Amino acid sequence: MTFKRFAEYLARIEAESGRLEIIRMLSELFSELSPEELPKAVLLLTGRVAPEFLGLEFGVAEKEAAKALALALGADEGEVWKRVREVGDLGRVAEELLPEREGGIPLLEVYQELLALAQDSGPGSQLRKRERLAALLKRASPLEAVYILRIVTGRLRLGVGEATILEALAQAVLGDRGKRPLLERAYNLTSDLAYVAELALKGEEALAQVQVQVGKPIRMMLAERLPSPEMIMKKLGRHIAEYKYDGERIQVHYDGERFWIYSRRIENITHQYPDLLEAFREHLKKPYILEAEAVVHDPVTGEPLPFQYVLNRKVKHLTEALMERYPVRAYVFELLYLDGEPLLDLPLVERRKRLESFVPPSERFEPSTARWIETVEELEAFYEEALEVGDEGLMCKKPDGNYEAGKRGFKWVKFKRAAGGRLADTLDVVVVGAWWGRGRRSGTYGSLLVATYNPEEDRFETVSKVGSGFTDEDLQKILPQRLDPLRREEPSPRVWALLEPDVWFEPGLVIEVEAQEITLSPNHTCAYGKVKEGRGLALRFPRFLRYRDDKKPEEATTSQEVVELYRMQWK
Ligand code: AMP
């Protein structure tokens, strides 16, 4: 396939808002691609040339890309940039200025060029990248240039989520979009869409046999919530409860030689914890994959400090001084692979046994504190104990539960009470729009339109307007800094909204909010019609608490969870 034909598909997909129609177009596209092209095309659809966990970025700012365009056109850089500022979209300017061309560049060739561009680094790379991009643009037709430029500048916004790509792959390759779970399983175990596409081409058998691989992040298992110890006992019966630590969740991979640490968002954050790795290297000798919560402790009192403190380690150059100021300790709560054997399908009790015998308590890490719970009284006492030592609450786990990669379910139930408000827990919501502020807030955002995630439909459903809880710094600096790059003219096709904010955003920023209550609302689309016809669910008196950069939009609170929270209010 030519990149031109691919770009035509992208343009059609971008203009479409119906999910089923998008799936149909994607699967038509996939059916047209050769086996060699398919995995690459799948990556390009996500705006990448390698799976996200490899951290391969293009490193081309919009201004640099404009220079490349000027070079390709033999035009003046200043003039091109001026036009970009007028039009507001570099791709459109390329489309306007480049001549139409017959034929098209082969998709694989564009992929190779983009890969080479992303891999180039070090001294002089900026200039080389510019020249490489210019050479590609010189051969490109206007529509090809639009998408090449959007991809390299990180602005490809098709509004197509991974779940949708998997469903279209199931349709195109396995002939049935109902077979998405088969692909999803492979994806949850490897976090690698291109690899899943390759496996799908080999057939269902190959997909079913895929196992976790050291070095490839496993998509993390997530917890449901229940508001009272009584309900937890009713749901789980006799179970294992663990302290719920408030730090950063890390997945550590060791192949006997090399280490990888992945975040909840499947980013490679190995560089953030050299001190932890040293301790792991010293004590744990066999290859493994484990999960832990990395918690910063007060260097003087030894008390655990909340999640935000971990952010101090997210710097380009982590110094010894920073590591001493923000010392971490890891509480290991999962062992998913040990010495050649995947453990995900074992019951929790069995995994826990292996974990305890493999992970000795040491100065930098230890197994999470866990206890068998048989009664409500025991659960309450353990909960108070967790709070007393400075942790957040409890994680209650089904003893016979397997590790369900990438899934949220009742095999893990979190138990924490919100301070003050009536709701049992805070919500993590995605910012999808905003209204301009007035008075003291003029010139910045006055309130945000936030949404929950609906995984079945792969879309974001609005649940509230949030205007309180922000500091002046949030309003003047942090919010514009984070939200401006996500602005878009129209709502993303993945956002379902009835309200019309002044500005729309690509779903990207996740924030944690608390609220007093959940109410029915004709204006919000969260779980629309699920509880009552013609009504969605909305938050009453919402308040911003903190940024959740550790979460992807797809990891936000789901609409179904809001339904459960709504129902719990009456219990
Ligand atoms: P939440 O972020 O509120 O959905 O809570 C789930 C998170 O709690 C997990 O992703 C972990 O980062 C964290 N956590 C803390 N302690 C534990 C534990 N003992 N078991 C599992 N997860 C834990």
Side-chain angles (χ1 to χ4, degrees):
M1 182 181 286
T2 60
F3 193 76
K4 195 172 189 173
R5 178 112 183 106
F6 183 65
E8 282 163 7
Y9 268 109
L10 298 189
R12 280 170 50 208
I13 289 166
E14 204 169 28
E16 177 58 54
S17 59
R19 182 169 132 78
L20 286 182
E21 188 52 25
I22 290 178
I23 292 176
R24 202 193 56 71
M25 286 191 225
L26 277 174
S27 96
E28 191 185 306
L29 161 67
F30 292 159
S31 310
E32 254 183 66
L33 292 160
S34 73
E36 198 188 347
E37 289 165 342
L38 179 68
K40 316 280 194 278
V42 163
L43 280 172
L44 289 174
L45 280 172
T46 66
R48 307 195 151 267
V49 282
E52 193 179 353
F53 63 83
L54 291 181
L56 192 61
E57 304 293 338
F58 291 108
V60 179
E62 194 176 31
K63 197 149 191 186
E64 263 309 300
K67 284 183 186 168
L69 178 62
L71 192 61
L73 290 162
D76 179 69
E77 279 176 14
E79 289 296 311
V80 171
W81 186 240
K82 200 170 127 225
R83 190 71 192 129
V84 173
R85 302 281 292 265
E86 281 164 11
V87 178
D89 178 356
L90 174 63
R92 290 282 157 246
V93 174
E95 198 173 25
E96 181 183 294
L97 299 178
L98 283 167
E100 192 48 71
R101 282 192 177 84
E102 287 299 306
I105 318 170
L107 180 128
L108 285 178
E109 226 176 292
V110 173
Y111 173 83
Q112 281 308 334
E113 282 303 303
L114 295 183
L115 180 64
L117 192 132
Q119 283 170 334
D120 196 350
S121 63
S125 61
Q126 194 173 352
L127 192 59
R128 287 194 302 275
K129 282 181 195 226
R130 191 192 303 169
E131 283 168 355
R132 192 181 279 278
L133 184 55
L136 191 58
L137 291 172
K138 247 185 172 158
R139 300 163 58 200
S141 67
L143 193 63
E144 286 177 316
V146 169
Y147 287 101
I148 289 171
L149 286 167
R150 290 210 181 138
I151 290 173
V152 297
T153 56
R155 278 159 207 261
L156 185 71
R157 307 252 164 86
L158 294 178
V160 177
E162 283 143 2
T164 304
I165 294 179
L166 290 174
E167 199 158 322
L169 268 175
Q171 176 69 49
V173 186
L174 306 179
D176 178 0
R177 75 187 171 88
K179 292 197 172 153
R180 167 175 139 187
L182 213 56
L183 292 144
E184 222 155 36
R185 176 182 167 273
Y187 179 58
N188 286 336
L189 293 181
T190 61
S191 309
D192 187 342
L193 275 180
Y195 177 63
V196 173
E198 275 167 35
L199 284 174
L201 288 168
K202 290 190 186 147
E204 292 185 25
E205 183 80 12
L207 278 170
Q209 278 174 0
V210 69
Q211 272 304 347
V212 295
Q213 295 162 25
V214 179
K216 279 193 181 179
I218 303 169
R219 307 225 317 145
M220 294 182 186
M221 175 169 177
L222 302 169
E224 277 286 353
R225 65 188 94 202
L226 287 170
S228 70
E230 288 80 11
M231 288 177 73
I232 293 175
M233 282 314 296
K234 211 165 131 197
K235 186 96 196 166
L236 297 180
R238 179 172 184 265
H239 67 273
I240 297 173
E242 300 175 20
Y243 284 175
K244 183 174 191 298
Y245 305 91
D246 187 18
E248 179 171 41
R249 181 160 178 183
I250 56 174
Q251 193 177 82
V252 185
H253 292 234
Y254 178 59
D255 68 358
E257 199 181 317
R258 286 167 302 170
F259 280 103
W260 296 261
I261 299 186
Y262 293 110
S263 70
R264 254 179 97 121
R265 302 189 56 148
I266 311 295
E267 286 157 337
N268 188 326
I269 49 165
T270 315
H271 58 280
Q272 222 177 288
Y273 296 104
D275 40 0
L276 265 185
L277 291 186
E278 209 174 292
F280 282 135
R281 188 185 290 284
E282 190 183 329
H283 295 283
L284 308 179
K285 300 293 183 191
K286 294 178 183 159
Y288 58 82
I289 303 175
L290 59 78
E291 274 187 13
E293 192 82 355
V295 181
V296 171
H297 287 252
D298 185 315
V300 180
T301 65
E303 301 260 308
L305 296 170
F307 161 76
Q308 284 91 323
Y309 281 83
V310 180
L311 300 179
N312 294 308
R313 286 188 163 230
K314 292 195 185 286
V315 289
K316 223 174 184 167
H317 303 289
L318 184 62
T319 57
E320 288 289 332
L322 273 177
M323 284 192 275
E324 266 169 44
R325 203 149 128 220
Y326 304 107
V328 284
R329 205 173 157 68
Y331 298 91
V332 183
F333 56 79
E334 273 295 349
L335 185 61
L336 300 174
Y337 171 97
L338 182 61
D339 203 16
E341 192 188 351
L343 307 178
L344 285 78
D345 291 330
L346 294 182
L348 173 72
V349 262
E350 198 48 48
R351 293 201 304 281
R352 182 83 206 174
K353 246 189 236 157
R354 310 232 183 158
L355 187 160
E356 283 172 7
S357 68
F358 179 59
V359 179
S362 76
E363 76 288 3
R364 283 230 166 257
F365 61 84
E366 66 189 56
S368 57
T369 300
R371 191 168 302 164
W372 277 102
I373 299 292
E374 312 219 353
T375 62
V376 168
E377 292 69 39
E378 283 175 13
L379 186 55
E380 275 181 336
F382 195 37
Y383 176 78
E384 297 305 333
E385 184 187 309
L387 294 199
E388 218 150 276
V389 295
D391 295 315
E392 231 190 346
L394 296 178
M395 272 294 214
C396 301
K397 303 182 176 178
K398 222 169 144 30
D400 58 356
N402 61 338
Y403 184 95
E404 288 201 284
K407 297 256 166 68
R408 187 188 294 282
F410 281 101
K411 288 179 182 170
W412 287 7
V413 178
K414 56 190 163 184
F415 177 27
K416 66 183 207 201
R417 285 187 196 128
R422 277 181 50 196
L423 277 193
D425 200 354
T426 58
L427 286 90
D428 300 317
V429 290
V430 186
V431 183
V432 298
W435 285 267
W436 296 118
R438 293 199 211 117
R440 217 162 59 86
R441 292 195 186 173
S442 68
T444 176
Y445 301 117
S447 58
L448 307 180
L449 179 62
V450 298
T452 51
Y453 181 55
N454 175 339
E456 286 79 39
E457 302 292 332
D458 189 18
R459 76 177 170 215
F460 297 92
E461 303 176 341
T462 77
V463 70
S464 191
K465 249 175 151 175
V466 183
S468 74
F470 299 108
T471 62
D472 283 347
E473 199 196 1
D474 289 321
L475 292 166
Q476 303 299 338
K477 214 172 116 200
I478 306 178
L479 283 174
Q481 230 170 39
R482 294 185 178 209
L483 289 172
D484 287 353
L486 298 172
R487 271 172 76 167
R488 46 182 299 156
E489 296 291 314
E490 299 284 325
S492 155
R494 295 173 81 201
V495 171
W496 182 27
L498 300 171
L499 293 172
E500 269 282 329
D502 296 330
V503 201
W504 291 105
F505 302 115
E506 180 69 16
L509 179 66
V510 180
I511 60 173
E512 185 173 344
V513 298
E514 63 177 4
Q516 277 271 310
E517 202 183 335
I518 293 168
T519 54
L520 290 165
S521 158
N523 298 323
H524 287 284
T525 54
C526 172
Y528 199 81
K530 287 268 163 66
V531 176
K532 190 164 182 219
E533 202 172 322
R535 295 282 183 278
L537 294 176
L539 305 182
R540 201 163 109 88
F541 300 132
R543 208 184 139 71
F544 167 80
L545 290 178
R546 56 183 173 173
Y547 302 99
R548 289 301 304 252
D549 294 323
D550 58 321
K551 290 199 173 181
K552 282 189 184 188
E554 290 82 3
E555 288 177 64
T557 301
T558 62
S559 302
Q560 187 52 37
E561 284 180 279
V562 182
V563 173
E564 277 146 27
L565 283 171
Y566 174 78
R567 296 210 165 113
M568 281 169 195
Q569 298 179 128
W570 314 110
K571 293 220 162 98

